[in-house]
Amino acid sequence: MGGATAANQFEGGYREGGKGLSTSDMLTGGTYNSARRITTELEEGAYYPSHEAIDFYHRYKEDIALFAEMGFKTFRMSINWTRIFPNGDELEPNEEGLKFYDDVFNELKKYKIEPLVTISHYETPYGLTKKFNGWLDRQVIDCYLRYCKTIFTRYKDVVKYWLTFNEINILTHGGAAAFLGGGLLFDGIREIKLSDYEDYHLPECFQALHHQFVASAKAVQLGHSINKDFKIGCMVANVTQYPYTCNPDDILLAQQKEEFNNFLCADVQVRGKYSGLAKRFFRENNIEIKMEEGDLETLKNGCVDFYTFSYYSSSCLSANPDVESTTGNLARGIKNPYLKASEWGWLIDPKGLRITLNKLYNRYQIPMMVVENGLGAVDMIEEDGSINDDYRIAYLKAHIEEMKEAIADGVELWGYTPWGCIDLVSAGTGEMKKRYGFIHVDKENDGTGTLKRSRKKSFYWYKKVIETNGEDLA
Ligand code: BG6
């Protein structure tokens, strides 16, 4: 048990230590109602939340000490590709960037916290966007593998658990999601609207995705050759979708959407091949993936060691186009009348996590980790400085209870790292107001604030949960 973060959302120091610009550094802030903008050059006067984020870059000792105080056993973080290869295509790495992560890993080691490292979490070097249109170009595979070789070799004795790509399935959403997921930028797309499924530019997105699959499979083989004890996993944004009614049309639709969202990528990464459904989808949408000889063999030989996913909510699907849809994490669906929603409209469904774990484990039969889960909420600071986030405790408690049930059902669950264990920038909206943390960070949507850290009520609750290995959830 521990917590999860990503460099682009909490590190800051965006030009320090020789760091280059990543795609996230080009995204302005936004709110629930106004989308984040993609800027092709940094604009004077515009606010970019990733540039300072919550300044982990300078405060990592303090933050890791707080994680240790809660008793974290594991900490999910990403390495920011642009600290190591500022433009993405250099031949030699940036020593200062490597040194920063030496320091972070040493600090984690001091407290016996096991790092779980995402190699690419929405941090594609913007230099690769400009030069190649990101992952659309096959040459980016080599850039990624050079980066992997560098970090696998450097950290082989301090990092054992790796994830090749965060939410690799984001590329199946097409449109603007491709900028975050793969550094692809299309004419006319300047706003990030993650919850919308945008079926334009799908051929390019699937081509880029194929390159990521090949890169991931090669990284798995490379990693195992550098340290045979490495455990290298995939990471999928889970979208649990129920049929809205018992009409077989709804059931079929929900099943197919789940196949598309949750299994298409994992089938390649876990089973080593494209599924029949993927091939049918390509056929029916005139998507022709350009492959090189040996690609299919590479996929077969680069299967991951474990499956990880993010789980926040669920939604319903109806074949009837007149039923109104709502938003959620990376997918739209219909509001489930049996569930309550978060302030951002994401439906809260703890039992859905048990259902999902069982479904995934029955299909893949490899160890699993829930590497993101949590409640994005507005927190109130009381006069005495305390933050009584009982709603967050209730959310997490209910989800942990269901994970315990899933383990009892036979699911091999290796770990749980709730998202944003310390308040950080929202990926979807760019806000600070949407807080997930056990640790409050004094920072507002417009970038003001002292960055002071303070413990919320959930901090003490989670400490007890970890201490008792999930026995005491009261
Ligand atoms: C996942 C991402 O989609 O959800 C994270 O991997 C993200 O980067 C998290 O922060 C929560 O989404 P949001 O939009 O509330 O930040």
Side-chain angles (χ1 to χ4, degrees), residues 149-167:
K149 189 172 180 196
T150 306
I151 57 175
F152 284 162
T153 311
R154 177 85 167 214
Y155 309 122
K156 69 176 177 350
D157 299 323
V158 282
V159 179
K160 180 175 171 189
Y161 297 93
W162 302 89
L163 304 176
T164 54
F165 289 93
N166 180 64
E167 297 190 330

Side-chain angles (χ1 to χ4, degrees), residues 6 8-9 76 121-122 166-167 194 235 237 310 312 329-330 346 372 419 424-429 434 436:
N8 75 85
Q9 289 162 260
R76 177 176 175 226
H121 189 135
Y122 303 159
N166 180 64
E167 297 190 330
L194 286 186
M235 198 298 196
S310 54
Y312 292 92
N329 187 33
L330 285 186
W346 295 15
E372 284 188 32
W419 176 250
L424 38 65
V425 176
S426 156
T429 64
K434 189 180 188 189
Y436 288 88

Side-chain angles (χ1 to χ4, degrees), residues 124-139:
T124 307
Y126 188 57
L128 297 180
T129 300
K130 290 216 260 194
K131 189 162 176 185
F132 298 119
N133 203 2
W135 280 93
L136 187 54
D137 193 314
R138 198 175 168 100
Q139 295 180 71

Side-chain angles (χ1 to χ4, degrees), residues 357-375:
L357 277 164
N358 272 289
K359 210 183 282 183
L360 291 169
Y361 188 67
N362 289 341
R363 185 167 180 124
Y364 296 122
Q365 298 278 298
I366 58 171
M368 326 223 73
M369 276 198 215
V370 179
V371 295
E372 284 188 32
N373 169 240
L375 181 72

Side-chain angles (χ1 to χ4, degrees), residues 241-285:
Q241 276 159 329
Y242 305 128
Y244 191 52
T245 71
C246 54
N247 181 334
D249 285 341
D250 286 0
I251 295 172
L252 184 67
L253 181 67
Q255 193 224 357
Q256 295 214 320
K257 281 278 178 194
E258 280 210 322
E259 284 271 339
F260 184 84
N261 285 315
N262 301 337
F263 301 140
L264 190 151
C265 293
D267 279 357
V268 178
Q269 293 188 288
V270 180
R271 293 174 159 173
K273 57 180 185 210
Y274 282 98
S275 62
L277 181 119
K279 290 181 195 156
R280 177 173 182 171
F281 180 80
F282 296 157
R283 261 196 323 273
E284 292 180 352
N285 290 279

Side-chain angles (χ1 to χ4, degrees), residues 10-13 52-60 451 453:
F10 93 132
E11 234 175 43
E52 181 187 55
I54 61 152
D55 197 30
F56 176 79
Y57 188 72
H58 296 109
R59 293 162 199 254
Y60 66 92
L451 292 169
R453 278 59 170 152

